[in-house]
Amino acid sequence: MIRKIRLFTPGPTPLLPAAQFAMAAADIHHRTPEFRALFTKVLAQLKDFVGTKSDVIVLSSSGTGAMEASVSNLTSPGDRVLVLSAGKFGERWTALAKAFGCAVDVVEAPYGETFSIDKVKEALKLETRAVFMQATETSTGARHCVPAVAKLLKDSNSEALLVVDAITGLGTSHFDMDGWGVDVMIGGSQKAVMIPPGLSYLAVSDRAWDRMEATYNPRYYFDLRKERKNAVKGESAYTPPVALIAALGAALDYIAAQAATPENPAGSLVEGRKKLVENAETIAAMTRAAVTALGFRLFAPECPSAAATAVYAPEGVDSGIICKELKGRFGATITNGQGEMQGKIFRFAHLGFFDSLDTIALVGALEHVVATKLNMPGFEWGKGLIAAQKVLAGRKPNQAAEQTCICGRTDACCSLQHPDYGAGTVKPVH
Ligand SMILES: *Cc1c(COP(=O)(O)O)cnc(C)c1O
């Protein structure tokens, strides 16, 4: 038997072959018309991918670099900020804001849950200058309700900027950055856009650009205003990772082409992005159905994200065994829990160059591990696969948001519905 190594991890994710070819061919200097044409095209594509008219800035860093840039560019020492935290990445916002001297208020929810909007409302002060949150908390597989927070800020006439780490949210959730009033939306290259780590990008609203005129936290390499000036000329301030930018262009072409029509064979990024979200929503639903049918418990059942699914290992079993068996026997790389969740949960990702067929294979592999390594009551071969197949077979185009609120909660949540989809049947609670 041979083993084919596959990534089922929430970053890095499997690479798109066309993007790898583009990288290999990207032998160009960054102060040339060729690069300027490429960079200008990619920046315009990113606007459509994020879904905004605001300027998008690309940085040479992993996602955390863009998180840091949004703190250093938008705050001054002593500024009061609010962090909404329910996992490892939420905690990163708190650490970052403290590192830049902010006075940090935190609304916390237990791992695997999302915070209550009422608590956010209570914690929001007149002097709150910025609110930092994740769209999807990758460490727990939970989705947070960005539009509900945006609406709260709008309704309270707050001056706080809303900064969203959408590093695994982009490409797995529907967003309307401009319509909802999000000020900064952050993405990373090794997530839904199917290319290697090393690039981060952030869309920045006019309000946030204005704020930068008055803030004075130190910044040099990650100076967004400097990058914006250079971007107008099709350049970046310092030597950019040219190969990754070429890869990103190829990946965004691929995403656009998912919505190709005979009249428009290149497709469109606005429509292609919806297909990508639908893909993630579908395989996340397949995964949830499969693991539940096999007798596992979900870690974030109330507010599941489509970026990654976190699953409890059975009582008394270290989740590391499941990761090790999947890797050792099938070459399938999944992730353990982070921090204190390590050993308790395992996580399957649904983003990147990854589809329903990959999901079926992964569920099949998991059944082997359950059958031979885990003593789970009621196990029968095929139970997980049948559940996954039924979800896939029952999927209609645009199903994703018919069943759930845009925030992903299936029980009850905000009444805001994505404009691309009809009204859902969920009961508004906030
Ligand atoms: C991957 C990820 C990040 C960024 O991590 P880096 O290792 O710096 O790329 C930030 N937030 C979330 C939610 C993520 O999933």
Side-chain angles (χ1 to χ4, degrees):
M1 299 275 257
I2 63 165
R3 270 186 333 151
K4 194 167 156 185
I5 299 290
R6 294 179 173 86
L7 290 183
F8 296 94
T9 48
T13 60
L15 302 178
L16 179 76
Q20 291 176 287
F21 294 134
M23 261 191 300
D27 191 12
I28 50 178
H29 191 272
H30 60 287
R31 307 285 180 213
T32 58
E34 291 87 341
F35 180 77
R36 282 183 212 112
L38 170 68
F39 198 45
T40 304
K41 173 196 141 185
V42 170
L43 289 174
Q45 284 180 307
L46 275 176
K47 282 191 187 194
D48 287 342
F49 182 68
V50 175
T52 181
K53 297 204 162 39
S54 292
D55 286 334
V56 178
I57 300 299
V58 170
L59 299 174
S60 313
S61 73
S62 77
T64 308
M67 293 171 74
E68 171 160 332
S70 52
V71 174
S72 65
N73 283 262
L74 295 173
T75 66
S76 303
D79 274 3
R80 187 156 286 285
V81 303
L82 178 60
V83 171
L84 313 182
S85 175
K88 290 288 149 198
F89 291 103
E91 290 159 19
R92 190 169 296 178
W93 274 134
T94 304
L96 268 167
K98 284 187 175 160
F100 283 90
C102 295
V104 186
D105 296 318
V106 183
V107 171
E108 263 182 311
Y111 292 171
E113 295 179 21
T114 190
F115 28 77
S116 109
I117 288 295
D118 289 338
K119 281 205 181 141
V120 179
K121 196 171 181 178
E122 274 166 35
L124 188 68
K125 301 190 169 81
L126 212 56
E127 59 278 22
T128 306
R129 301 291 286 159
V131 176
F132 296 97
M133 69 181 293
Q134 270 63 41
T136 50
E137 174 52 74
T138 320
S139 67
T140 66
R143 174 162 8 198
H144 301 318
C145 193
V146 177
V149 177
K151 187 168 183 296
L152 171 68
L153 294 182
K154 229 182 208 170
D155 291 350
S156 25
N157 278 326
S158 172
E159 288 195 0
L161 299 172
L162 178 56
V163 180
V164 180
D165 162 3
I167 295 175
T168 51
L170 279 162
T172 64
S173 316
H174 289 291
F175 293 118
D176 181 5
M177 174 173 170
D178 302 351
W180 297 344
V182 176
D183 293 291
V184 177
M185 195 91 155
I186 302 172
S189 59
Q190 80 275 32
K191 309 280 173 144
V193 290
M194 316 173 189
I195 68 170
L199 275 186
S200 62
Y201 53 96
L202 60 177
V204 182
S205 73
D206 288 342
R207 236 161 59 109
W209 288 116
D210 290 345
R211 176 71 62 88
M212 277 178 238
E213 301 298 328
T215 53
Y216 52 88
N217 247 321
R219 64 200 83 139
Y220 185 82
Y221 188 69
F222 292 134
D223 186 335
L224 297 177
R225 288 189 301 163
K226 195 161 54 190
E227 290 299 342
R228 187 193 203 189
K229 270 193 201 123
N230 280 278
V232 173
K233 298 180 282 177
E235 294 193 7
S236 60
Y238 311 103
T239 313
V242 175
L244 284 175
I245 289 165
L248 184 55
L252 293 170
D253 288 345
Y254 171 83
I255 294 167
Q258 298 308 301
T261 58
E263 304 78 53
N264 182 11
S268 107
L269 256 172
V270 174
E271 294 305 314
R273 182 188 69 209
K274 287 184 202 161
K275 302 259 184 214
L276 197 64
V277 173
E278 203 182 308
N279 183 67
E281 292 276 9
T282 300
I283 60 187
M286 288 168 68
T287 305
R288 291 194 296 270
V291 295
T292 311
L294 287 170
F296 289 98
R297 265 189 324 127
L298 296 170
F299 190 62
E302 294 286 310
C303 47
S305 86
T309 298
V311 185
Y312 277 109
E315 270 310 300
V317 176
D318 187 322
S319 60
I321 305 235
I322 299 168
C323 303
K324 192 163 152 251
E325 289 292 318
L326 285 170
K327 178 77 188 287
R329 289 157 69 179
F330 298 97
T333 312
I334 64 161
T335 35
N336 203 320
Q338 289 169 255
E340 46 275 57
M341 291 171 277
Q342 185 170 4
K344 297 199 178 79
I345 60 172
F346 56 97
R347 292 174 297 149
F348 293 152
H350 316 302
L351 72 178
F353 188 51
F354 187 85
D355 67 4
S356 58
L357 201 53
D358 297 318
T359 308
I360 287 170
L362 183 59
V363 170
L366 182 65
E367 288 191 351
H368 279 272
V369 174
V370 174
T372 54
K373 280 278 164 186
L374 311 177
N375 190 13
M376 292 175 71
F379 172 76
E380 273 171 45
W381 283 104
K383 256 191 180 173
L385 283 166
I386 289 171
Q389 295 279 31
K390 283 189 175 163
V391 169
L392 181 59
R395 217 71 186 165
K396 294 182 301 229
N398 295 350
Q399 167 123 9
E402 273 173 31
Q403 279 189 328
T404 59
C405 166
I406 33 176
C407 73
R409 290 187 60 164
T410 46
D411 52 347
C413 196
C414 70
S415 55
L416 299 162
Q417 294 292 328
H418 191 266
D420 296 330
Y421 296 90
T425 51
V426 288
K427 189 168 63 120
V429 292
H430 54 241

